[in-house]
Amino acid sequence: MRIFITLFIISSLNIVFSQQNRTINGYISSSKNGEKLIGATLYDTIHKVGTVTNEYGFFSLTVPNELTILKVSYYGFEPFILEASITQNEYNISLKEITSLDEVVIKASDSKRSVESTNIGTMELALEKVDKLPVLMGEKDVLKILQLMPGVKSGGEGSSGIYVRGGGPDQNLILLDGVPVYNASHLFGFFSVFNSDALSQITLTKGGFPSRYGGRVSSVLDMRMKEGNNQKFNLEGSIGVIASRLLIEGPLKKNKGAFIISGRRTYIDALVKPFLPKEQKAGYYFYDLNAKLNYKLNNKHHLYLSGYFGQDKASSTMENSDGSMTNSFTDKMTSGINWGNAIGALRWNYRISPKLFTNTTFTYSSYLFKLFVEDEFTNIQNGESNYNKFSFLYFSGINDWTGKTDFTFLPNPNHIIKFGVGDIYHTFKPGVNTMSMTNNSDKTTQTTGSRYTYAHEVSIYFEDEHKITNRLKANYGLHHSSFFVGTKQYHQLQPRISTNYILTENSSLKFGYSRTAQFLHLLSNTGIGLPTDLWVPATERVAPITANQVSLGYNYEFKRIYNLTVEGYYKKMNHLIQYKEGSSFFSEDMDWQNKIEVGQGWAYGGEFMIEKRKGRLTGWIGYTLSWSMRQFDNINFGKIFPYRYDRRNDISIVATYKINDTWDVGAVFVYGTGNAVSLATQTYNLAPNTLMSNFYNSQISYFSSINNYRMPAYHRMDIGFNRTRQKKWGETVLSLSVYNVYNRQNAFYLFTEQKGSKIVLKQISIFPIIPSISWKFKFNFERIKTNKTITK
């Protein structure tokens, strides 16, 4: 608290208040649906100062107390000129969407956000890119689009997991409307849980973390849900190869409040059912639901309520029976796996003054995994019935309750100050087994496993976006976290700084340093985010992960059409955990702390990206050169070894082309060095003897080191076409895409096989060339109403 207050006072000493100034403030939104515009730019054309809106569309700009002419702009919307009179300081501004890119007028004086921003290692993903690019099985997936960005790697063929700058999947803070999501995968990692129809903004931060973020050491993926249309009702949806989705939004009260509900479900279970034998019932499906309400009480108070709920369910039932009325048996076995997330957030925005904005949030997040087996056996002998039942249940998960308050203070155009405090109450369930036996007259139940662990994670932060000179900007601050678990207390002070020096009108040099801490660990055998992975806390025996990252970047922007970024980074990670050699999720020892080793890691490399943002042809070329290493004293003889996802080279080429108002085409090409895997370098035959005669010709494999072999290089090309047609009732989009156009047999898994006297290395490939089709529709109720009027 002392550090927090001291920093606040030091920063405030640079702020000079004058009675000759005034503060213009308000909100910027879309005139089409009332959605707040995040990052919209306001520029005082007379006094040459400006600002941008925060994540709730709020802006505050201090200017001289005289007539002011503001230029308001946001990409994809028509610029708006506001003459702010000296008698009014509050404005709610609505911008109109541009219907054609040909109407965009590009001027050298327009704001160059990427060049001027202090955000190093940060990228925003436009949702229209998700809609136009080819996808696997017709499912548009935001995480798979992010995998095409430099510095972001995929876990493997078809996987939706992301690995950022050498970090693991647990090291990404994935936020949906400010609430952490612990398992972001459906279908065992092949699809993410995020329905792109319900999202309005996606921002990924890989380095130079602002102080307001904490709890992870590799990245922050901040996704915001749409607020809903406060002008009119909309209905849209899509039908794909394996899933369909539906979204409805509309006003609770016009210009005051809105709602949005979006749902998605697969029908894999229905597609598979006709091909199963009669005695077997099996199925798998997933579904998710997003919902959000917002209501404007008045110009100072705004309420939001949002939630997400998603589940994966896989089950199988086998039933056998035989015999007569007096002598028979029935055996029924049921097994399955269920996992899912549930989150909720209640948020209150309060504009305390024209310069001070606060956001108070209460959230809940839950992730739960269940594995169950149940066997019922009934035997009838000479008319006497005997009943036996065995059941096994394993579950693990994590629950969070969070309360936090964030403040934004804008004293003048040279400072945007943010500070806040929060507390997360964690409940960890790192693996509990329940077994029961039931017969005609008795029932026995036994429960084993790790005990629940409870912890508090308290944080406080301060940051200042400071315009030091016309050329130099800096975002600096501190994040302090405390973790209370059992009798142990951990305290982590995390300084952060990002700077941007403008070299020329179109180029800038950026530098970032951040220290981060993470009090949660993910225990995994595979690293691909399977539901069996365990979330566990720092304890008296296991310290939190800490990391230090330094990054340096260069940004060049030409006429706001082309943007070039080059970045280099170095990251050191401490207190990483990994299963001991021979241990796993299924090991007999129930205490996970006895199964692990603690070590360290390094990640460093360079990233290159050139992007074309406007015109009929848009897209980017990205390249990553990287190294990621690990070291554990009791693993691999204490020697450093490459991380499984240490891929030296990653290349992505992404392009979309608008042929005309009806057709557009998208294409993706990716290339990556093969993942590191462990393969035996020698095998030994066991000699026959009296004790091991049953194992004659059995072999023992010897591994010289961990991850000593590289899988074959991965590459593929996808292509997709979209046909957009306007109807009397709305719009339809027919999407045709082909995944893996030239049928590359990429290795998903490697194994060895004995062929005579030789051992042959073989691979399994799971995704050949896969065509898919989906149909999207949008109902425009305003157009339907107009057509009815014309008909009458």
Side-chain angles (χ1 to χ4, degrees), residues 119-271:
N119 295 332
I120 183 170
T122 299
M123 55 184 65
E124 294 183 7
L125 179 63
L127 269 302
E128 58 265 22
K129 294 178 181 177
V130 179
D131 290 332
K132 295 186 180 299
L133 292 176
V135 293
L136 176 64
M137 298 182 186
E139 276 301 293
K140 301 183 185 301
D141 196 321
V142 296
L143 293 190
K144 288 184 179 175
I145 303 300
L146 287 172
Q147 290 173 359
L148 303 174
M149 302 294 183
V152 183
K153 300 179 185 292
S154 65
E157 175 77 66
S159 170
S160 64
I162 59 173
Y163 299 78
V164 180
R165 291 187 172 178
D170 60 318
Q171 296 175 11
N172 307 310
L173 178 61
I174 300 178
L175 299 172
L176 182 61
D177 258 13
V179 188
V181 177
Y182 283 100
N183 188 293
S185 297
H186 281 312
L187 193 58
F188 300 95
F190 289 118
F191 297 107
S192 78
V193 301
F194 305 110
N195 185 344
S196 60
D197 290 349
L199 301 177
S200 65
Q201 189 190 43
I202 303 168
T203 304
L204 176 67
T205 303
K206 302 175 293 181
F209 301 100
S211 297
R212 58 186 177 274
Y213 294 117
R216 301 294 188 277
V217 297
S218 282
S219 77
V220 178
L221 178 56
D222 194 348
M223 293 176 286
R224 298 284 169 172
M225 287 173 55
K226 292 177 180 177
E227 295 182 0
N229 194 321
N230 66 14
Q231 301 296 312
K232 59 184 180 180
F233 288 93
N234 280 329
L235 176 68
E236 61 182 82
S238 66
I239 301 173
V241 176
I242 64 168
S244 293
R245 58 184 78 189
L246 188 68
L247 178 148
I248 185 170
E249 61 178 343
L252 296 170
K253 185 177 182 181
K254 197 167 184 179
N255 296 319
K256 294 282 287 184
F259 74 92
I260 182 171
I261 300 173
S262 177
R264 174 176 59 163
R265 191 195 190 277
T266 60
Y267 24 77
I268 302 174
D269 50 340
L271 296 175

Side-chain angles (χ1 to χ4, degrees), residues 81-115:
I81 302 298
L82 171 68
E83 291 189 4
S85 68
I86 59 175
T87 59
Q88 183 179 351
N89 291 325
E90 288 189 12
Y91 294 90
N92 291 321
I93 303 168
S94 296
L95 299 184
K96 294 181 179 179
E97 287 192 44
I98 296 172
T99 56
S100 172
L101 287 178
D102 296 335
E103 300 177 19
V104 178
V105 178
I106 302 167
K107 297 180 181 180
S109 61
D110 285 348
S111 173
K112 303 176 182 60
R113 291 193 58 211
S114 61
V115 170

Side-chain angles (χ1 to χ4, degrees), residues 560-572:
R560 295 200 70 191
I561 299 178
Y562 299 95
N563 188 64
L564 168 69
T565 57
V566 180
E567 291 185 12
Y569 66 92
Y570 178 86
K571 179 166 62 175
K572 175 68 167 59

Side-chain angles (χ1 to χ4, degrees), residues 491-706:
H491 302 281
Q492 294 289 338
L493 184 63
Q494 304 156 55
R496 319 272 179 85
I497 184 169
S498 299
T499 62
N500 180 47
Y501 183 76
I502 298 177
L503 301 172
T504 67
E505 185 181 7
N506 299 310
S507 65
S508 65
L509 188 65
K510 300 185 180 185
F511 168 80
Y513 166 76
S514 59
R515 178 175 173 82
T516 50
Q518 177 174 327
F519 301 100
L520 317 178
H521 301 270
L522 186 68
L523 262 178
S524 173
N525 277 108
T526 62
I528 61 174
L530 292 180
T532 53
D533 296 344
L534 302 180
W535 284 99
V536 294
T539 66
E540 290 93 338
R541 294 167 55 185
V542 181
I545 304 172
T546 58
N548 290 277
Q549 182 177 171
V550 178
S551 50
L552 182 66
Y554 173 76
N555 190 188
Y556 180 79
E557 195 169 47
F558 180 65
K559 292 185 178 179
R560 295 200 70 191
I561 299 178
Y562 299 95
N563 188 64
L564 168 69
T565 57
V566 180
E567 291 185 12
Y569 66 92
Y570 178 86
K571 179 166 62 175
K572 175 68 167 59
M573 296 167 283
N574 299 304
H575 308 127
L576 302 176
I577 69 170
Q578 183 170 312
Y579 278 118
K580 293 179 179 179
E581 293 179 341
S583 293
S584 72
F585 162 75
F586 297 103
S587 300
E588 292 182 3
D589 195 329
M590 291 287 93
D591 190 347
W592 62 268
Q593 296 180 92
N594 297 329
K595 302 179 185 180
I596 65 166
E597 298 287 351
V598 179
Q600 55 188 332
W602 299 264
Y604 49 92
E607 302 165 1
F608 167 90
M609 181 173 177
I610 184 167
E611 181 182 12
K612 186 176 185 291
R613 296 175 171 176
K614 297 179 182 178
R616 289 186 178 274
L617 176 65
T618 60
W620 68 87
I621 299 174
Y623 171 67
T624 305
L625 174 67
S626 62
W627 289 260
S628 181
M629 314 301 287
R630 298 288 190 270
Q631 189 272 327
F632 296 83
D633 290 343
N634 298 313
I635 296 178
N636 198 46
F637 309 106
K639 297 178 181 178
I640 296 174
F641 61 90
Y643 184 45
R644 176 172 172 79
Y645 301 103
D646 168 55
R647 292 205 296 267
R648 197 67 64 244
N649 302 283
D650 267 288
I651 301 171
S652 60
I653 302 174
V654 180
T656 60
Y657 182 74
K658 184 178 181 181
I659 301 172
N660 51 44
D661 290 339
T662 301
W663 287 95
D664 63 77
V665 59
V668 171
F669 174 78
V670 294
Y671 172 90
T673 306
N675 287 340
V677 294
S678 299
L679 290 180
T681 54
Q682 292 179 320
T683 57
Y684 301 94
N685 291 327
L686 294 175
N689 56 51
T690 55
L691 294 177
M692 303 184 65
S693 57
N694 291 332
F695 297 96
Y696 182 71
N697 285 333
S698 293
Q699 295 178 329
I700 293 178
S701 298
Y702 171 75
F703 296 83
S704 60
S705 62
I706 290 179

